[in-house]
């Protein structure tokens, strides 16, 4: 193709809602600097966001039980609402974003963050990404050690950095040529993971849900049903990563970190990422791969 961008139905709505929310002060965009970090021949992203150093870190259960807790998704801020997805979900803009057009897919009724994802969740995901022209990363933080902060169940959709075809971790995983439709572990990644390649067939909610359940079953069989984990998904694959701790030397890691897109709040954190390497740090907050 000649570089022409094909606009899909949701693109303009997201752009309009985003511009309006910024103008109204409902959405707070934080400036950041991006640095490329190469490991094993693959480019990872380190995003330096000093403003995050002022943001308190709290886990979902701790936040939910706080006396002053207010659920930001029920009711949601109308100024951040993009659209309703069926009767089960809402598409919202992320109030605090470092990347424009960062979206949240929230359940219409309260469900606990950390519950397994359902076919209805993946129906909402596909309804969203099928109607966006950009390549996107879908992710889900499950459990207290996953980097989750809100107790209300939600997935997140982030535009892929323009210079990446796919998340770095998936790029490394694909080097081992995983079979289509089966849970696969790659020696290219030093930490425990469970991935399923989708193949070229059109994505259906039932197929994505089945791939997720297969990966989750192997994860919970090995690490227990209470194990925290991160999930990342693209149109090519879905991957799950078990977690044993939420941070390493104050560097907080969520699903985006396991995708290969890491946030650094300070220059010291950025230096630690450069010195020890992203893959090593992910092995510390996850579990070492044993096969």
């Amino acid at each position: 193709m000649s570089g022409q961008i094909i606009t899909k139905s949701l693109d303009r709505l997201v752009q309009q809602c985003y511009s309006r929310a910024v103008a109204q002060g409902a959405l707070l965009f934080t400036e950041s600097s991006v640095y490329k970090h190469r490991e094993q021949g693959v480019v990872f992203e380190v995003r330096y966001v000093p403003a995050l150093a002022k943001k308190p870190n709290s886990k979902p259960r701790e936040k939910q039980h706080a006396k002053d807790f207010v659920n930001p998704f029920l009711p949601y801020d109308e100024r951040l609402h993009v659209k309703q997805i069926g009767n089960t979900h809402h598409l919202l803009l992320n109030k605090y974003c470092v990347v424009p057009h960062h979206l949240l897919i929230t359940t219409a009724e309260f469900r606990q963050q950390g519950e397994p994802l359902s076919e209805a969740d993946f129906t909402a995901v596909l309804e969203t990404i099928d109607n966006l022209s950009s390549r996107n990363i879908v992710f889900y933080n499950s459990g207290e050690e996953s980097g989750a902060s809100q107790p209300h169940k939600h997935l997140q959709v982030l535009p892929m950095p323009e210079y990446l075809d796919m998340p770095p971790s998936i790029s490394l995983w694909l080097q081992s040529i995983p079979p289509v439709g089966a849970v696969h572990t790659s020696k290219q990644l030093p930490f425990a993971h469970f991935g399923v390649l989708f193949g070229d067939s059109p994505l259906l909610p039932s197929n994505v849900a089945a791939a997720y359940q297969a990966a989750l079953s192997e994860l919970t069989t090995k690490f227990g049903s209470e194990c925290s984990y991160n999930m990342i998904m693209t149109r090519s694959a879905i991957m799950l990563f078990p977690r044993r701790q939420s941070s390493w030397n104050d560097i907080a890691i969520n699903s985006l970190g396991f995708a290969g897109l890491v946030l650094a709040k300070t220059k010291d954190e950025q230096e630690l990422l450069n010195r020890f390497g992203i893959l090593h740090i992910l092995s510390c907050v996850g579990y070492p791969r044993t096969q």
Side-chain angles (χ1 to χ4, degrees):
M1 294 182 64
S2 60
Q4 179 182 5
I5 297 175
I6 300 173
T7 301
K8 293 192 175 181
S9 60
L10 197 53
D11 292 341
R12 182 170 295 179
L13 181 60
V14 169
Q15 291 165 3
Q16 290 173 342
C17 291
Y18 180 85
S19 297
R20 183 170 62 245
V22 171
Q24 293 173 338
L27 186 150
L28 304 176
F29 174 75
T30 301
E31 296 288 345
S32 60
S33 303
V34 172
Y35 301 88
K36 297 175 183 178
H37 174 92
R38 185 176 293 272
E39 290 186 41
Q40 294 185 199
V42 172
V43 174
F44 291 76
E45 179 182 280
V46 176
R47 187 176 289 271
Y48 175 52
V49 195
L52 291 182
K54 304 173 185 177
K55 184 180 177 182
N57 288 325
S58 56
K59 297 178 180 179
R61 194 173 300 145
E62 176 187 348
K63 183 171 287 186
Q64 188 174 3
H65 292 149
K67 291 182 179 179
D68 58 350
F69 171 67
V70 176
N71 185 346
F73 305 146
L74 195 65
Y76 53 79
D77 186 335
E78 291 281 356
R79 299 170 298 175
L80 300 175
H81 190 253
V82 178
K83 63 175 288 188
Q84 184 168 334
I85 309 174
N87 296 319
T88 57
H89 293 78
H90 293 283
L91 186 64
L92 307 177
L93 294 165
N94 187 9
K95 180 180 179 67
Y96 303 101
C97 65
V98 298
V99 175
H101 307 155
H102 182 167
L103 300 171
L104 308 177
I105 299 173
T106 68
T107 54
E109 297 180 355
F110 180 81
R111 306 294 301 181
Q112 197 74 42
Q113 184 78 355
E115 284 187 7
L117 296 170
S118 66
E119 187 171 326
D121 293 322
F122 287 113
T123 299
V125 166
L126 293 179
E127 172 69 19
T128 300
I129 65 174
D130 283 349
N131 290 293
L132 292 169
S133 57
S134 58
R135 296 190 308 276
N136 295 280
I137 307 171
V138 179
F139 61 100
Y140 182 60
N141 301 315
S142 177
E144 293 293 294
E145 302 304 326
S146 68
S149 59
Q150 290 295 341
H152 186 129
K153 190 179 187 184
H154 64 288
L155 298 100
Q156 303 186 55
V157 182
L158 193 76
M160 192 90 67
E162 291 183 358
Y163 57 87
L164 292 178
D165 291 328
M166 65 185 67
S169 56
I170 292 183
S171 293
L172 285 171
W173 178 75
L174 286 174
Q175 290 179 11
S176 61
I177 314 178
V180 172
V183 180
H184 178 73
T185 297
S186 169
K187 293 182 179 179
Q188 299 295 325
L189 296 173
F191 42 83
H193 61 279
F194 304 87
V196 179
L197 183 67
F198 292 139
D200 297 327
S201 301
L203 291 184
L204 300 174
S206 58
N207 294 342
V208 177
Y212 162 78
Q213 286 291 348
L216 181 62
S217 177
E218 292 207 15
L219 185 152
T220 55
T221 296
K222 188 164 186 178
F223 296 98
S225 60
E226 299 301 313
C227 182
S228 298
Y229 66 90
N230 295 117
M231 182 218 79
I232 63 171
M233 171 188 160
T234 67
R235 301 198 66 84
S236 301
I238 187 168
M239 297 189 72
L240 274 62
F241 309 91
R243 296 292 301 274
R244 54 179 167 171
Q245 60 194 60
S246 61
S247 63
W248 179 85
N249 281 3
D250 293 328
I251 300 174
I253 300 291
N254 65 6
S255 292
L256 281 182
F258 273 88
L261 313 176
V262 182
L263 297 178
K265 303 184 296 292
T266 65
K267 288 294 185 182
D268 286 344
E269 289 184 2
Q270 188 178 337
E271 172 58 30
L272 285 172
L273 288 164
N274 288 331
R275 188 191 318 165
F276 289 93
I278 291 173
L279 292 173
H280 170 77
I281 292 170
L282 294 179
S283 297
C284 292
V285 298
Y287 289 88
R289 178 180 51 79
T290 58
Q291 59 178 357

